Amino acid sequence: VYKRQAQIPVLGTTGEKYEVVVPSTGIWAQQWKWGNTMLTASRFEDNSVYFSEGAAFTCTYCYNDTIANNDIAHAGYPFARALYFFGSRTHYMTVRRNRIAYTGSGAVGCLWGEYSIAELNRISQSGLTVIDTEAINGGGPTSYAQFRFNWVHDASGFGLRYDAGENGGFGVHNDLLFNVLVRNDVGAGAKFRAGRRRAPLLRRRLWPTSRARRRGRGPRARAAAGPG
């Protein structure tokens, strides 16, 4: 853990309260030349991170790590994410029960490996300095991931998104399950190739986005307009 004016990295620390400066707290693993990553198997839990110029937590080429029960606010200015994952071989990550507010870019991303889970997180006011963004992000290299039971509100861009299929690479077996999305610019998005063996499973309850409400497309507007 990097503390202000104390550049001593300590892994496995919990329950600390600190302000993070660049470089951020994180795990920097090594990618082997044959493509696999190291088994880092670390935990970043029960921390409060406020006013971080970079990401509150960074994980590169990580494998089987848990980031849980953290309170993060005002992180990732101007363009970083609060929880930043680097590398398409970052697998089996668990992002659980974190509260994240006021981020420069999105809150959690990019979960580009396999078998990662983002669940029970509360995210608000993310993506304040970036237009094309999302609160929780998966991309073309993402497969067998689940974003479930998250509460995302008042965020810029998408609430949740599996994206980055323009280069022809699409993930498979990615699910959005029982998320609550309120007053975001866009609810949720998932791209998949026609004819895929299985399209993303979308089970979510979406409240109308702020744009839909302004344009009179939300359920309240339709109810007020009456039948027909």
Side-chain angles (χ1 to χ4, degrees):
V1 173
Y2 282 94
K3 297 183 181 180
R4 184 179 293 275
Q5 298 180 351
Q7 301 295 313
I8 304 176
V10 181
L11 289 179
T13 302
T14 61
E16 295 290 340
K17 195 168 187 177
Y18 49 88
E19 293 182 349
V20 178
V21 295
V22 179
S24 66
T25 307
I27 302 170
W28 288 268
Q30 178 180 357
Q31 184 178 20
W32 302 112
K33 61 181 179 181
W34 51 85
N36 295 324
T37 57
M38 302 174 64
L39 179 63
T40 46
S42 299
R43 306 180 74 88
F44 183 74
E45 297 179 322
D46 304 318
N47 297 286
S48 298
V49 183
Y50 306 133
F51 301 103
S52 170
E53 296 176 19
F57 180 84
T58 302
C59 205
T60 65
Y61 297 113
C62 292
Y63 194 109
N64 195 28
D65 301 287
T66 299
I67 297 91
N69 301 322
N70 299 291
D71 186 16
I72 300 170
H74 297 281
Y77 289 100
F79 305 122
R81 301 177 187 273
L83 301 177
Y84 177 62
F85 303 92
F86 176 80
S88 59
R89 290 184 170 86
T90 298
H91 306 306
Y92 290 92
M93 303 300 297
T94 300
V95 182
R96 177 185 297 130
R97 201 175 279 110
N98 300 282
R99 185 172 65 175
I100 303 173
Y102 298 101
T103 65
S105 186
V108 180
C110 303
L111 291 172
W112 280 1
E114 298 179 349
Y115 298 101
S116 292
I117 295 174
E119 63 181 3
L120 302 170
N121 299 287
R122 177 179 177 179
I123 299 170
S124 64
Q125 288 88 21
S126 72
L128 298 181
T129 62
V130 179
I131 297 175
D132 185 9
T133 187
E134 56 287 307
I136 304 179
N137 169 261
T142 306
S143 294
Y144 303 97
Q146 290 191 354
F147 299 168
R148 61 193 187 191
F149 308 113
N150 298 288
W151 180 16
V152 182
H153 63 94
D154 301 292
S156 174
F158 287 83
L160 308 171
R161 179 163 65 168
Y162 295 111
D163 199 0
E166 290 82 359
N167 59 0
F170 290 79
V172 296
H173 294 272
N174 296 313
D175 299 332
L176 302 175
L177 302 170
F178 307 107
N179 299 282
V180 176
L181 310 177
V182 185
R183 296 189 303 272
N184 307 300
D185 283 349
V186 185
K191 294 184 179 181
F192 57 94
R193 183 182 302 170
R196 267 290 183 188
R197 187 168 38 139
R198 180 188 173 194
L201 177 61
L202 304 178
R203 293 178 182 170
R204 61 189 188 270
R205 184 172 184 181
L206 297 181
W207 269 256
T209 64
S210 56
R211 290 179 181 174
R213 183 171 296 164
R214 287 196 299 269
R215 295 172 184 173
R217 298 177 184 174
R220 293 183 180 176
R222 289 196 297 269

